[in-house]
Amino acid sequence: MTIVVLVGTLDTKGLEYGWLRERLLSRGVEVVVVDTGIVGTPRIPADVPRAEVARAAGVDLERLRAEGDRGAAVTAMARGAAEVVRRLHAEGRLHGVLALGGSGGTSIATRAMRELPLGVPKVMVSSMAAGDVSPYVGSADITMMYSVVDIAGVNRLSAPILANAVDAVAGMAKGFAAEPRAVHAAELREDGAGGDGAGDGGPLIAASMAGVTTTGVDAARERMTEHGYEVLVFHASGSGGRTLESLAERQLFAGVLDLTLCEIADELFGGILTAGPDRLLAAGRRGVPQVVSPGALDLVKFGPLDTVPARVRDRDVRVHNPSISVVRTTARECAELGTLVAAKLRAATGPTAVCLPLRGLSTLGAPGGPYHDPAADGALFGALRDGLRGSAVDVVEIDTHIGDPSFGRAAADLLQRLIADGKVR
């Protein structure tokens, strides 16, 4: 029997959830409805009533109502919903989760979804899904679907969107029920845990990559595979860096190949794809062996060309794609980046090395490329060397650019030595 759990506020969205429930039942899926509403009367009956959700959060529903603090109430019900879905999954009564809502409903439901392991189907239909969804998704595998219109009734525009969401979660849940594929942290830590066979198995390595570092990182990935590891590549797009940090904090990796650091440049200089101030800290804090390169620190990423800030428009601005424009970092900015990266790495408690690609930090910065600037790169390298002088971090210079496959292979071999011996040589 396939079971989909619906998580939502049945006072304000009850009719819509009733529609979802009937549609799921017609698809041969059993439904468990969890009510996260607070004030109004539920429009449909719940299998897990709101009072039970509140108790799961350790609070009393009537007290929440009496206090009249919407923010506190939403936070509490989100915490309770997370505990409820975690329990349902542990009991084998959850093969997928579906929810719909605006900002409040999305906050509650996605908090619950993030409690579930990777691989468990999670679909969120939200009026917030066309904007920045990172606060809702975090490092979870949540499928966000834009509702186009607000969640206020089922009409000729919303009905096909909600029907697609039902069919999506029903299909995913049926597949999951037939072949459970939840990914638990303990399994990822086990050598050779290849999941459903899609991976090669072996201890896990994390690698960071962007389009402008792909060829070098691909070569590193292939070499680590030859060494017997399974490599997970994270796109340095903000969310990718945050996910890498989150998983490194949980000590899921045998080592980290952090060869693409453009998220740090975005954080420091106002770009749009920042991973936050904690980027490049988790592996070092947890003692995970890491090889780091200042890949893609020769650019800052902004939005479409017409949104590039006036303060940098007089520089060499390049259109990376219609949604992303890039700006070359100056020598002063590169020196600042080098100092910051060195400070982060000095705090590492595990074996750490830095590989410097002396001939360029990206495909744009390679010899002959528009961002090739040895003086600016030199300022970064100099600040890194100065900041790491006297530390336990090894600095290795490689006389090529980061996109050269030989650079990636050298970085991978270096990480293998750090993992095996705890030292570069």
Side-chain angles (χ1 to χ4, degrees), residues 1-12:
M1 178 173 60
T2 300
I3 303 173
V4 168
V5 173
L6 298 177
V7 179
T9 53
L10 301 188
D11 48 1
T12 60

Side-chain angles (χ1 to χ4, degrees), residues 74 78 101-112 114 124 126 128 135-136:
V74 168
S103 60
T106 303
S107 295
I108 293 172
T110 54
R111 169 66 179 84
R114 293 196 301 272
M124 181 74 229
S126 174
M128 306 298 290
Y136 305 118

Side-chain angles (χ1 to χ4, degrees), residues 350-402:
T352 301
V354 175
C355 286
L356 302 183
L358 298 181
R359 294 185 180 269
L361 305 176
S362 68
T363 53
L364 292 174
Y371 284 177
H372 185 60
D373 187 342
D377 292 351
L380 189 152
F381 299 150
L384 268 171
R385 294 188 195 99
D386 290 345
L388 294 172
R389 189 169 290 116
S391 74
V393 179
D394 287 291
V395 179
V396 179
E397 299 182 356
I398 301 177
D399 192 24
T400 187
H401 60 87
I402 198 166

